[in-house]
Amino acid sequence: MKTSRLWAWIVFALGALYFIIPLLATFEFSLRIRRDGYTFDAYASVFSDPKFHQTFGYSIVVGICTIVVGILVIVPAAYYVRLKMPALRPIIEFISLLPLIIPAIILVYGYIRLYSSSSWLPLTNSAMGTNILLTLGYVALAMPYMYRAVDTGLRTIDVQTLTEAASILGASQTTIILRVILPNIVVAVLSGAFLTLAIVIGEFTIASLLNRPAFGPYMQNIGANRAYEPAALAVISFLITWAAMGAIQLLARFAPKTAKP
Amino acid sequence: MAEANTLSDKALGPALAGPATASSGGPFAFLKSIEIGAVLGIAPFVIFAVMFLLLPTMFLIGAAFVGPDGSFTFQNILDLGTPQIVASFWISIRVSVASAVLGVLVGLFIALAVIRGRLPSSVRSAAFTFSGVASQFAGIPLAFAFLSTLGRLGLLTVLLKFVGIDIYRAGFNLLSFWGLTLTYLYFQIPLMILIIAPAIDGLKREWGEAASTLGASNWQFWRYVGLPVLWPNLLGTLSLLFANAFGAIATAYALTGSSLNIVPILLYAQIRGDVLHNPGLGAALALGMIVITALANIIYLVVRARAERWLK
């Protein structure tokens, strides 16, 4: 069976080439800003741009708000569906997957038509209202990933026994969720959170159509006006995505398991 | 494990719970089992889903049937037949189908090579970690990466020219159907690898051994055992990748500006500046996108139901 192993190596190598060449090319391109040789000046130019700091900071803040709102919306729902209403499970799961089917541009178009100045809930009237709308849009985008992460976390712990034990000790429902369930699934929730952050930081469509000063529209603007800085931004984004995914892998090692095998 | 509990409860059902009739106290008995806390816990999720997923989508679907004067009309739907809009749907569908089909095929081969080709486990885990990163590396930065690679001044373009192959003179253009498809594959293939890996892991080694003991060739194993088992997963991923490409806009927008008029870019321009001069037509465009992604998923559900029927 030596041939099959050789075949596997060839397929793997071809795939690796397709994925590695663009990364190398992007890095090489980002160093080409001077004619007389490779320099990191494009990175210096990116990092010294105050707009880079503003938009990046803005996207991080929106990302953190998205994670908090996402946890508040998703964790109780996933917990009660698992504990009390398993019949609702397929419906809730289907809803949580809807954002994979409804494109972001459709969602934001709906938001603009539904929550504009003349509607019953005029969110787009003020900057704060639009920020809230952007955050809620990101919660929708992150929902398939966040729900799955939370549900996977709940599956590895014994929800039933933990809940019964806590309520026998006199804990209220809120206490059970906040101080018993959440700490037990914190690793799963965090991995969902990092994925959310990776999705939200460079998001373009919703931020751009809601006219928010986010990192995605900033990158698009740089791409339209500069030659070498975009490549530097791509390298930076790739490293951020890599860091977020690396954090998830690292977290997976600390996941608690109380479920019976 | 909650799931195991409910399963064992089901299995032991009558023995543990006694006769089913004893606990039923009228038609609304099931309401007793629903607690107020559980309802309050699920309420935020439901309210969120209605207000920020369902209602906006429904609203657009409704708006597609409203004329400029506010009356009910089919004119917006008929107006989708203009050459510009038909052309943009056609290029969008082509790019989405091509990148989904190629993504599924190439992703399947790479996943098979990594999982069943007995590559070292370090290669395997590196491949999956990288897939996790690359599947999320989309949008604007991906466009920059491919411009740096295959743009007119990109590294690969320059290197190939150096050895005598001028891809742009040969007719290649990054801002085209194939350029966009090649770019989309950068997130489609890893997504396929991530989704299909558990299914390939589920193909037991014993099945291969059993098949070869019975005299099956490698080809016969895949034709009669491997592919039929993976089939529902392959179709499901195909429709997911299709929807993924069909709704994507950021990469295409940063790559081509508006020179390649795929539907999401046309819709983006419409939302920004009413380029079609008719808000109803914009809603109809959105309706068209919803119908196409929904169709892709309905086809998948139907085929999966049939596949599962004979797998049982």
Side-chain angles (χ1 to χ4, degrees):
Chain A
M1 290 295 267
K2 257 211 160 122
T3 47
S4 99
R5 199 158 173 192
L6 181 69
W7 169 87
W9 275 113
I10 292 172
V11 171
F12 175 76
L14 287 178
L17 275 183
Y18 171 76
F19 285 100
I20 290 169
I21 288 175
L23 296 179
L24 287 180
T26 311
F27 183 61
E28 194 265 352
F29 203 84
S30 72
L31 302 179
R32 268 200 239 168
I33 194 164
R34 300 234 175 281
R35 281 182 181 278
D36 50 347
Y38 288 152
T39 66
F40 283 97
D41 287 6
Y43 294 85
S45 157
V46 165
F47 286 126
S48 63
D49 184 356
K51 284 216 134 177
F52 170 83
H53 296 276
Q54 284 158 17
T55 56
F56 193 75
Y58 177 87
S59 284
I60 293 273
V61 171
V62 172
I64 291 169
C65 294
T66 303
I67 290 164
V68 171
V69 176
I71 290 173
L72 289 178
V73 169
I74 288 165
V75 170
Y79 166 73
Y80 281 116
V81 164
R82 198 158 257 287
L83 191 67
K84 300 265 167 67
M85 303 183 209
L88 278 183
R89 216 181 131 144
I91 302 171
I92 300 278
E93 224 158 62
F94 175 75
I95 292 175
S96 79
L97 289 176
L98 272 182
L100 292 181
I101 302 170
I102 307 171
I105 189 159
I106 303 281
L107 281 184
V108 68
Y109 191 22
Y111 294 174
I112 291 170
R113 298 283 288 258
L114 203 54
Y115 302 115
S116 62
S117 46
S118 54
S119 77
W120 58 281
L121 187 64
L123 281 173
T124 59
N125 263 2
S126 64
M128 193 30 89
T130 320
N131 288 339
I132 292 171
L133 196 56
L134 179 67
T135 307
L136 293 172
Y138 284 171
V139 171
L141 282 195
M143 196 140 91
Y145 307 99
M146 201 69 180
Y147 188 90
R148 259 190 87 142
V150 170
D151 201 49
T152 312
L154 288 174
R155 199 179 308 150
T156 58
I157 64 172
D158 193 343
V159 176
Q160 204 91 35
T161 310
L162 286 175
T163 306
E164 279 165 17
S167 56
I168 286 168
L169 292 169
S172 71
Q173 304 241 3
T174 327
T175 315
I176 295 176
I177 294 185
L178 284 179
R179 300 189 49 192
V180 178
I181 299 299
L182 205 53
N184 269 296
I185 58 169
V186 73
V187 169
V189 170
L190 276 179
S191 70
F194 278 113
L195 195 54
T196 304
L197 211 55
I199 294 167
V200 166
I201 282 184
E203 202 280 337
F204 168 73
T205 316
I206 301 184
S208 159
L209 286 171
L210 290 179
N211 270 322
R212 293 291 80 205
F215 192 51
Y218 165 78
M219 286 198 287
Q220 194 275 327
N221 186 36
I222 294 290
N225 296 307
R226 301 289 187 85
Y228 299 98
E229 282 84 349
L233 277 173
V235 172
I236 295 167
S237 309
F238 189 80
L239 291 179
I240 294 170
T241 314
W242 191 279
M245 295 295 149
I248 293 172
Q249 295 246 323
L250 212 64
L251 279 168
R253 293 183 195 167
F254 302 105
K257 289 186 179 64
T258 66
K260 287 162 270 183
Chain B
M1 192 194 276
E3 219 166 42
N5 281 346
T6 55
L7 271 181
S8 59
D9 286 351
K10 259 185 208 157
L12 299 169
L16 280 179
T21 45
S23 59
S24 69
F28 296 109
F30 74 96
L31 280 179
K32 275 187 196 158
S33 64
I34 295 175
E35 284 173 35
I36 197 83
V39 172
L40 283 180
I42 294 183
F45 182 88
V46 173
I47 293 170
F48 175 84
V50 168
M51 280 188 66
F52 295 100
L53 276 176
L54 303 176
L55 222 51
T57 314
M58 299 297 197
F59 184 84
L60 280 183
I61 294 176
F65 296 98
V66 175
D69 55 348
S71 63
F72 180 85
T73 177
F74 278 113
Q75 194 56 44
N76 297 323
I77 310 296
L78 296 176
D79 286 348
L80 288 179
T82 54
Q84 183 201 11
I85 295 177
V86 170
S88 64
F89 268 103
W90 180 227
I91 181 87
S92 259
I93 290 174
R94 276 168 59 213
V95 169
S96 309
V97 168
S99 75
V101 170
L102 287 173
V104 163
L105 288 179
V106 177
L108 178 65
F109 278 118
I110 295 180
L112 282 175
V114 170
I115 296 173
R116 292 184 67 93
R118 279 168 293 159
L119 297 187
S121 65
S122 57
V123 169
R124 193 189 143 130
S125 75
F128 288 129
T129 310
F130 185 86
S131 294
V133 178
S135 66
Q136 295 303 330
F137 185 63
I140 308 278
L142 179 63
F144 295 164
F146 270 78
L147 282 171
S148 313
T149 312
L150 285 166
R152 283 181 190 277
L153 289 172
L155 183 65
L156 201 57
T157 313
V158 172
L159 285 180
L160 285 174
K161 206 183 221 168
F162 191 69
V163 296
I165 308 167
D166 190 337
I167 52 170
Y168 274 84
R169 195 164 289 169
F172 177 81
N173 189 347
L174 192 55
L175 321 181
S176 69
F177 163 74
W178 278 112
L180 199 57
T181 304
L182 197 64
T183 310
Y184 279 5
L185 283 175
Y186 203 86
F187 57 80
Q188 300 276 57
I189 293 172
L191 202 56
M192 171 68 186
I193 295 177
L194 289 181
I195 297 175
I196 205 70
I200 294 177
D201 270 330
L203 292 175
K204 296 202 179 73
R205 209 158 272 284
E206 291 86 344
W207 297 350
E209 285 161 8
S212 68
T213 312
L214 292 170
S217 67
N218 221 344
W219 154 251
Q220 280 171 321
F221 169 73
W222 285 110
R223 169 67 187 82
Y224 295 105
V225 182
L227 274 183
V229 171
L230 294 180
W231 191 236
N233 282 301
L234 291 181
L235 284 171
T237 321
L238 193 66
S239 69
L240 185 73
L241 294 194
F242 176 86
N244 202 21
F246 195 73
I249 162 164
T251 308
Y253 190 73
L255 204 57
T256 70
S258 45
S259 68
L260 195 67
N261 240 331
I262 58 173
V263 181
I265 286 187
L266 188 61
L267 185 56
Y268 180 87
Q270 165 66 15
I271 299 170
R272 280 242 114 145
D274 198 12
V275 290
L276 302 169
H277 309 294
N278 178 0
L281 188 51
L285 209 56
L287 175 64
M289 286 185 73
I290 296 168
V291 167
I292 287 176
T293 39
L295 267 182
N297 283 284
I298 289 169
I299 292 171
Y300 156 61
L301 288 176
V302 170
V303 177
R304 192 182 72 168
R306 293 184 53 155
E308 275 172 358
R309 199 183 318 155
W310 71 259
L311 265 181
K312 269 173 196 166

